[in-house]
Amino acid sequence: MTSRSPTSWARALYSAVTWAAQPLLRRKLLRRAEAEPVYAEHIPERFGRYQPATLGQDGRGRWIWIHAVSLGETRAAAILLTALRERLPGMRLLLTHGTATGRTEGRRLLQPGDLQVWQPWDTPAVVRRFVQQFRPAVGVLMETEVWPNLVAICREEGVPLALANARLSDKSLGQALRVAPLARPTYTALAAVWAQTEDDARRLRLLGAPVRGVLGNLKFDARPDAALLERARQWKSGLSRPVVLLASSREGEEAMLLPALRTLGPAGRAVQWLVVPRHPQRFDEVAALLAGGGLHVSRRSQWVGGPPCGAAADDIDIWLGDSLGEMALYYGLADATLMGGSFAPLGGQNLIEALACDCPVVLGPHTFNFSEASDLACEAGAALRAPDMEHGLRLAVDLAGDRQSHAHAVAQARGFLDQHRGAAQATAQAVAGLLQSLA
């Protein structure tokens, strides 16, 4: 009788847990579908069961598979996909997601002949059904989405799997090291890893990842939606006050906003406030919270022809951006942005889209998910950092109300973005190189 290695036991135990959790996953999806109906769509796909329309037999062995779990990763994938289609004309895209926002955003990226399905639940049987069904030529995981069975079975089945736009925070590294018998073989089994920064590369190598290059952050190559920016410009021309935005706010941050607003006094009424929650299932919750704090709220979903302006705006304290796919519109309306996720200890959201829309950014103290981009932006004068929400509001109000400071921050942001572009073409070339090495 042979003994099994700690690595084998770790993956076997993990597989048993994920197998046992399948009924819980089904219940969770149905609960989430009450707020986001997309979660109830095509649930069998999560378990490797596909409808005839999505079997994709004619693409077997030719799919370029991209996995973008949620909204942010899907937006990064969109940038990479544009460069890939230029380099690989006629490519067939297989696009997978784990969240409703990711799948909704991903639909916009599909062309005739492409397929979109849910990410397979990470049990050996489900992943193997997925891989054997589609037989991708190559798989590209976006940013952080490394799953033990997904990686292991792709390797067993001869599907090279790369991690693109890869990032790993110190916190995530510590968590991975605590389960090293599971994490190390998973990262080691990847075919290639292309990191955003040297610090990300160093942390990834500590887990055994085959880092093949530091290519930068794809999101620097993003180009804001010109139509949304033009609509923002038109709407902004009818406003009497500058706009300060709390963008992609996360749990707890709107509650921080309410007392901080009260401390501003008359200065707080000199600007128009706008809050855009990160997750759509929180829109109603945030609206109720703001109204319960004594604020008069106007919701984007109820606007007709634009935001309230003139006399109609006098009684409105705060706008709520309760729509999807319009961040460029909100950034275009704003004269300064407080970056959500950075005032609560959640690691922050990416500031690059705001800067690309010429919207100066104020960061809170918690930016560990995007530490290098945040630090470099602050060093370049493209962003400011505040120790807490109250100080952040004061900085944002000053930026929005001072034309000279605002213009300087915009100029610094443009220079900062120009300096860091190029990851999309470099990553597309790396993916094409990986494909060529298999030919």
Side-chain angles (χ1 to χ4, degrees), residues 241-244 270-271 335-336 360 384 394-410:
R241 294 180 290 175
V243 176
V244 173
V271 302
D335 298 275
L384 301 175
R394 294 185 184 279
L395 284 174
V397 168
D398 289 344
L399 261 178
D402 186 326
R403 289 189 177 182
Q404 185 173 354
S405 296
H406 183 272
H408 176 74
V410 168

Side-chain angles (χ1 to χ4, degrees), residues 1-17:
M1 180 176 180
T2 59
S3 62
R4 300 177 72 176
S5 69
T7 294
S8 299
W9 279 115
R11 188 174 153 216
L13 177 60
Y14 167 82
S15 297
V17 170

Side-chain angles (χ1 to χ4, degrees), residues 263-311:
T263 66
L264 291 179
R269 293 186 288 275
V271 302
Q272 174 62 61
W273 298 97
L274 168 60
V275 174
V276 181
R278 172 70 174 173
H279 298 119
Q281 64 267 29
R282 299 186 61 243
F283 288 160
D284 291 341
E285 169 194 334
V286 174
L289 176 69
L290 297 174
L295 299 177
H296 292 94
V297 181
S298 173
R299 300 179 66 154
R300 162 73 180 103
S301 58
Q302 297 171 354
W303 294 354
V304 178
C309 58

Side-chain angles (χ1 to χ4, degrees), residues 79-80 140 162-167 192-201 204-205 210-221 372 419-433:
I79 300 164
L80 173 59
V140 181
L163 184 64
N165 214 41
R167 57 185 173 89
V193 173
W194 303 303
Q196 291 187 19
T197 72
E198 291 290 351
D199 282 343
D200 290 315
L204 287 159
R205 288 189 183 104
V211 178
R212 307 299 187 209
V214 177
L215 305 185
N217 190 334
L218 288 167
K219 293 178 183 177
F220 279 109
D221 291 324
E372 182 162 316
Q419 184 181 355
H420 290 88
R421 288 189 170 112
Q425 291 299 329
T427 306
Q429 181 177 347
V431 173

